[in-house]
Amino acid sequence: MFKRQQDVANPGDDIVIELDGKTVTVPAAVSVAAALLYLDAVPTRNTLVSGAPRAPFCMMGVCFECLIEVDGVSDQRACQVQVQPGMRLRRQLSAQDGDIT
Ligand code: FES
């Protein structure tokens, strides 16, 4: 879905993080939301009431559609947090997807 621009990408700058218990490699110095889109890891959460899938939308901290658990702290705006080596991310998916937040 989303690809890195070749003139910006520097393979040596990749870092390793954990997403839903799996080790993944993402570009360094990007937001968690950008990393999730890069990994095509959408939806990033489901709404509590209807279970509707959600994913980063505004990428500037306004819409709150990108909420995710970061290092054990839930409801963090993924677009406002930069990826760090070893960071543990967990998508806040509903029971309909087999995972309860
Ligand atoms: S994408 Fe809108 S608040 Fe993060």
Side-chain angles (χ1 to χ4, degrees):
M1 175 187 258
F2 290 87
K3 295 181 181 175
R4 295 165 73 178
Q5 293 181 337
Q6 291 303 317
D7 58 334
V8 174
N10 182 350
D13 289 339
D14 289 346
I15 62 171
V16 175
I17 64 172
E18 181 182 302
L19 174 62
D20 297 334
K22 297 177 183 164
T23 301
V24 295
T25 302
V26 298
V30 299
S31 70
V32 168
L36 292 168
L37 293 172
Y38 172 75
L39 293 169
D40 207 15
V42 291
T44 53
R45 72 177 182 98
N46 293 99
T47 60
L48 291 175
V49 176
S50 69
R54 293 290 188 252
F57 181 69
C58 72
M59 302 298 279
M60 60 182 187
V62 176
C63 73
F64 285 73
E65 298 291 5
C66 63
L67 298 180
I68 190 168
E69 182 181 304
V70 178
D71 290 333
V73 181
S74 63
D75 297 332
Q76 302 297 301
R77 287 174 292 172
C79 65
Q80 300 299 297
V81 179
Q82 185 172 325
V83 291
Q84 301 292 332
M87 179 177 268
R88 290 176 295 115
L89 305 176
R90 186 166 180 251
R91 293 184 290 167
Q92 298 181 172
L93 301 176
S94 66
Q96 290 116 337
D97 293 326
D99 192 0
I100 300 173
T101 300

